[in-house]
């Protein structure tokens, strides 16, 4: 059911222009899904591959023209491995350079004790500052109990945050994804930053130690008070097509609920590996505004599929427009999915019909392939109806 460090430079070996080139042959768009106003064709695999190490890579497009991105569990463009690191990416696809700026204890605290580390979940650039959402994630990836937000006002080299307590805890709104409104948040409603949140975990909790996320929640905060937890407001329902906002997080109501389960069974989808069956579809991805189409895209995923949604407003109504099934493990090298699906706003074509999706596959997964780097694949859209 669906309801509405040391800084070290390295070169990215990317092959194309800012937005994907027009296909040499007409694309074979699928039939529209029910209620959708978009259809999409997504690439079989990353074709633009960066010389980097890590996964997730939420990003924001800063006032200085650079793309800032955060990775988990890797060296990024440097030599030291961090559980979380931030890098600056300059230029355009075809001639990009990456520099790792800070990592680990320079970025955020770990709140939940032994057995947890830090993972980046969202970034937003606004008024020249860079904000990074970081969650505590259990080392087996099955529980996210706390999250905080850090800020850098010097281009990502030094960071500050409230070191006394997390901003969000008790598994509530602990996977934070900022709505990407383009360079320096320029497309946002004046004075506001929007953020989406998941409860429990960043994706299906394979061992069911916490409930699987099935709801996507929305919040807003004045853009000069992002680190002030008391300034946050949460969508608590829709009246007359507009959200009702509440400062009480317990009043929140989801702007999207999707209770579908994919690959039902006992793990047979991947030869018995726990997790690649009975998959919930709401996960840590990204939400981006596409000005050329005047639409919002939420890019979600499961262990084996991409699940992409569209909406006319940040609060919805959200409609599934693309569900790409890459099949059970092991995947071949020429067609495979990935997790942490995001669309960097800097690389969206002016007409909104082509863009790049970043996603990853960990070498630790029994997927048969790995894409543990900043890797982009094409997404082409067409308006229907």
């Amino acid at each position: 059911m669906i309801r509405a460090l040391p800084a070290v430079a390295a070169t990215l070996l990317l092959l194309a222009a800012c937005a994907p080139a027009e296909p040499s042959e007409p694309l074979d768009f699928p039939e529209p899904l029910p209620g959708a106003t978009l259809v999409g064709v997504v690439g079989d695999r990353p074709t633009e591959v960066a010389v980097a190490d890590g996964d997730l890579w939420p990003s924001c497009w800063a006032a200085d023209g650079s793309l800032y991105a955060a990775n988990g569990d890797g060296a990024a463009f440097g030599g030291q491995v961090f559980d979380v690191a931030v890098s600056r990416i300059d230029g355009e696809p075809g001639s990009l350079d990456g520099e790792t700026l800070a990592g680990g204890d320079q970025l955020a605290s770990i709140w939940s004790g032994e057995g947890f580390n830090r993972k980046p979940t969202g970034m937003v650039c606004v008024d020249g500052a860079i904000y990074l959402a970081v969650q505590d994630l259990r080392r087996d990836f099955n529980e996210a109990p706390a999250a905080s937000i850090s800020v850098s006002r010097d281009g990502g080299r030094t960071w500050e945050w409230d070191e006394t307590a997390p901003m969000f805890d008790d598994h509530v709104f602990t996977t934070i994804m900022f709505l990407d409104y383009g360079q320096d948040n320029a497309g946002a409603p004046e004075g506001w930053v929007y953020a989406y949140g998941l409860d429990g975990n960043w994706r299906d909790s394979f061992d069911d130690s916490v409930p699987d996320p099935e709801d996507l929640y929305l919040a807003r905060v004045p853009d000069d008070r992002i680190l002030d937890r008391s300034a946050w407001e949460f969508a608590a329902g829709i009246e007359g097509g507009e959200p009702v906002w509440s400062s009480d997080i317990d009043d929140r109501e989801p702007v999207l609920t999707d209770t579908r389960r994919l690959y039902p069974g006992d793990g047979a989808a991947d030869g018995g590996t726990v997790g690649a069956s009975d998959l919930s579809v709401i996960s840590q991805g990204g939400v981006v505004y596409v000005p050329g189409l005047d639409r919002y895209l939420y890019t979600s995923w499961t262990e084996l599929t991409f699940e992409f949604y569209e909406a006319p407003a940040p609060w919805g109504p959200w409609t599934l427009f693309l569900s790409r099934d890459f099949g059970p493990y092991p995947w071949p090298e020429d067609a495979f999915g990935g997790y942490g699906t995001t669309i960097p706003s800097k690389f969206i074509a002016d007409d909104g019909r082509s863009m790049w999706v970043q996603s990853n596959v960990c070498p630790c997964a029994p997927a048969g392939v790995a894409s543990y780097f900043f890797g982009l694949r094409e997404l082409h859209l067409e308006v229907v109806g």
Side-chain angles (χ1 to χ4, degrees):
M1 178 185 70
I2 303 177
R3 283 194 288 112
L5 127 235
V8 180
T11 300
L12 298 177
L13 302 179
L14 299 173
L15 310 176
C18 179
E22 287 296 319
S24 58
E25 298 181 3
L27 291 169
D28 184 16
F29 285 99
E31 288 296 314
L33 295 178
T37 66
L38 299 176
V39 291
V41 174
V42 68
D44 291 336
R45 59 185 175 84
T47 57
E48 313 306 311
V49 176
V51 180
D53 177 55
D55 61 0
L56 300 174
W57 301 102
S59 64
C60 64
W61 184 10
D64 62 12
S66 296
L67 187 75
Y68 289 83
N71 69 281
D73 289 337
F77 305 101
Q80 182 177 354
V81 173
F82 294 106
D83 56 353
V84 59
V86 169
S87 300
R88 187 185 67 243
I89 300 173
D90 293 309
E92 301 291 344
S95 59
L96 292 175
D97 293 317
E99 182 183 3
T100 300
L101 304 169
D105 293 338
Q106 299 168 326
L107 292 177
S109 301
I110 298 176
W111 306 104
S112 304
E114 187 175 353
F116 290 83
N117 64 9
R118 293 161 289 213
K119 296 286 188 177
T121 62
M123 297 186 77
V124 64
C125 297
V126 57
D127 290 337
I130 307 165
Y131 294 87
L132 170 67
V134 180
Q135 72 179 187
D136 283 6
L137 186 63
R138 210 169 74 201
R139 291 182 182 274
D140 64 2
F141 314 123
N142 287 323
E143 179 188 8
S148 289
I149 297 172
S150 304
V151 62
S152 173
R153 306 185 192 278
D154 62 358
R157 296 190 177 275
T158 63
W159 294 79
E160 60 185 80
W161 65 95
D162 183 351
E163 299 183 41
T164 65
M167 289 182 64
F168 297 92
D169 56 16
D170 295 329
H171 306 88
V172 175
F173 211 83
T174 51
T175 299
I176 301 167
M177 301 169 284
F178 291 107
L179 172 49
D180 186 346
Y181 267 115
Q183 187 172 11
D184 205 38
N185 208 40
E190 185 174 0
W192 293 102
V193 164
Y194 287 83
Y196 297 85
L198 308 181
D199 292 351
N201 201 31
W202 68 302
R203 50 98 165 121
D204 189 299
S205 180
F206 292 168
D207 66 2
D208 294 326
S209 55
V210 295
D212 298 331
E214 295 182 337
D215 297 317
L216 181 72
Y217 298 98
L218 175 64
R220 69 177 185 178
V221 62
D223 60 16
D224 60 352
R225 298 180 65 188
I226 295 173
L227 267 59
D228 181 355
R229 175 64 183 80
S230 67
W232 284 62
E233 299 177 338
F234 302 88
I238 306 295
E239 293 183 2
E242 297 287 331
V244 177
W245 298 101
S246 172
S247 60
D248 187 344
I249 195 170
D250 291 335
D251 291 338
R252 74 197 187 288
E253 295 185 8
V255 294
L256 167 64
T257 295
D258 193 336
T259 61
R260 288 179 299 141
R261 294 282 170 160
L262 303 184
Y263 283 86
D266 60 2
D270 68 333
T273 299
V274 173
S277 62
D278 196 33
L279 301 168
S280 57
V281 299
I282 300 297
S283 304
Q284 175 189 327
V287 184
V288 64
Y289 176 62
V290 181
L293 300 177
D294 192 25
R295 303 297 286 182
Y296 296 81
L297 305 183
Y298 166 43
T299 47
S300 188
W301 54 279
T302 74
E303 189 85 352
L304 303 173
T305 72
F306 286 167
E307 308 293 323
F308 293 177
Y309 304 79
E310 55 151 317
W315 41 88
W318 290 94
T319 302
L320 183 73
F321 77 91
L322 185 154
S323 183
R324 171 68 187 274
D325 187 347
F326 290 92
Y329 294 150
W331 286 326
E333 293 185 358
D334 58 352
F336 55 87
Y339 57 85
T341 42
T342 60
I343 296 173
S345 60
K346 185 177 181 180
F347 304 140
I348 297 176
D350 289 343
D351 65 3
R353 294 174 183 266
S354 62
M355 58 204 70
W356 296 99
V357 176
Q358 201 294 133
S359 64
N360 306 110
V361 180
C362 180
C364 62
V369 295
S371 55
Y372 207 66
F373 41 69
F374 186 84
L376 303 170
R377 69 180 76 197
E378 296 181 20
L379 172 63
H380 293 276
L381 302 178
E382 187 174 79
V383 180
V384 298

